[in-house]
Amino acid sequence: MSRSGVRPRPVAVLLALGALAYTAWVLELVFHTGLDPIQAYVSELAAADQPFGGLFRATDLGAGLLVLAGAVCALARCDRRRWSLLGWFGLALFGAATALDSRLPLSCAPTADPVCAARETAGLVPATHTAHAVSSSLAMVGALLGVLALTVAARRYGWWPPLAALGPALVALELAATAWTLTSVAAFQAGRGTWALGAGQRLQVLLVAIWLGVLAWSVVKESRG
């Protein structure tokens, strides 16, 4: 048992596998998806009308459930200090919302299909578009809460040295990538282009996956120490 109270092996394995599944979008470099990774939302890969939509929905579901399981496992045994509880709750929210997100796919890809974008603007798309936006927002709120709070916990309580060392830089980069993504989304919704929305969002989710990997490594390293 580590000083943070979590069971190192199951939590680390679940988080590491969740991080790996959360980076499944890199398969677009291998498969011909027809979407521009610089411009398109990551979630458009999983849209109902996309050729590999089923694959990406499955990997999103797996990522969400794995992170949720890891966070719940940690919450059950962790040292119950404020930043620890807040951080693991944030990861649980992230995992649950990501899994839900995979069950609420977009019907089409608005950045690649002008007809889809016009229908979305006119409110003529299925209600899953709105539900997807809500679940995606909850997932990112949970991720930011987990990343920030557990990084603070690592530094304040003397836990997880690798995360304490690398966490602040990852938090700063994650906040910058989130600001880029939100600005690009606002520009796209205002009809001003995508502003490299896809690149910003891919950086955002990649940093979350890297942070999860660092956390998993830190949990194992602390228990061995």
Side-chain angles (χ1 to χ4, degrees), residues 64-192:
L65 292 178
L66 286 163
V67 174
L68 174 60
V72 169
C73 183
L75 279 169
R77 299 292 295 274
C78 70
D79 185 318
R80 309 189 79 75
R81 303 190 200 187
R82 179 179 60 183
W83 288 106
S84 175
L85 288 173
L86 193 61
W88 290 118
F89 172 78
L91 287 191
L93 174 60
F94 163 70
T98 298
L100 178 61
D101 210 35
S102 73
R103 305 299 90 191
L104 299 168
L106 300 173
S107 64
C108 53
T111 64
D113 183 354
V115 174
C116 176
R119 291 177 59 231
E120 192 172 62
T121 301
L124 299 177
V125 290
T128 50
H129 280 243
T130 300
H132 182 88
V134 172
S135 59
S136 294
S137 297
L138 287 174
M140 195 44 58
V141 167
L144 290 173
L145 180 60
V147 166
L148 179 59
L150 289 178
T151 299
V152 171
R155 295 180 66 83
R156 177 165 294 189
Y157 307 141
W159 300 343
W160 311 318
L163 182 63
L166 299 174
L170 290 173
V171 168
L173 290 171
E174 179 63 26
L175 291 175
T178 299
W180 176 3
T181 301
L182 292 176
T183 301
S184 299
V185 170
F188 178 64
Q189 292 179 342
R192 298 178 180 175

Side-chain angles (χ1 to χ4, degrees), residues 4 11 24 28-29 37 44 46 51 58 83 97 120 124 139 141 149 152 154 158 176 183 202 207 221-222:
S4 57
V11 171
E28 67 182 337
L29 300 176
E44 288 180 271
W83 288 106
E120 192 172 62
L124 299 177
V141 167
V152 171
T183 301
R202 281 161 176 74
L207 287 167
K221 189 175 178 65
E222 183 183 63

Side-chain angles (χ1 to χ4, degrees), residues 180-222:
W180 176 3
T181 301
L182 292 176
T183 301
S184 299
V185 170
F188 178 64
Q189 292 179 342
R192 298 178 180 175
T194 62
W195 292 23
L197 167 60
Q201 194 181 43
R202 281 161 176 74
L203 177 60
Q204 184 186 37
V205 298
L206 177 61
L207 287 167
V208 171
I210 291 173
W211 182 91
L212 285 170
V214 172
L215 175 60
W217 172 41
S218 301
V219 169
V220 170
K221 189 175 178 65
E222 183 183 63

Side-chain angles (χ1 to χ4, degrees), residues 5-102:
V6 302
R7 298 173 64 185
R9 182 169 295 179
V11 171
V13 169
L14 288 167
L15 293 179
L17 290 176
L20 183 63
Y22 199 55
T23 58
W25 54 268
V26 301
L27 292 173
E28 67 182 337
L29 300 176
V30 178
F31 300 138
H32 179 65
T33 65
L35 297 175
D36 183 351
I38 303 299
Q39 312 299 339
Y41 289 104
V42 175
S43 56
E44 288 180 271
L45 293 167
D49 68 343
Q50 294 302 302
F52 300 102
L55 170 64
F56 291 111
R57 289 193 294 274
T59 55
D60 281 349
L61 176 62
L65 292 178
L66 286 163
V67 174
L68 174 60
V72 169
C73 183
L75 279 169
R77 299 292 295 274
C78 70
D79 185 318
R80 309 189 79 75
R81 303 190 200 187
R82 179 179 60 183
W83 288 106
S84 175
L85 288 173
L86 193 61
W88 290 118
F89 172 78
L91 287 191
L93 174 60
F94 163 70
T98 298
L100 178 61
D101 210 35
S102 73

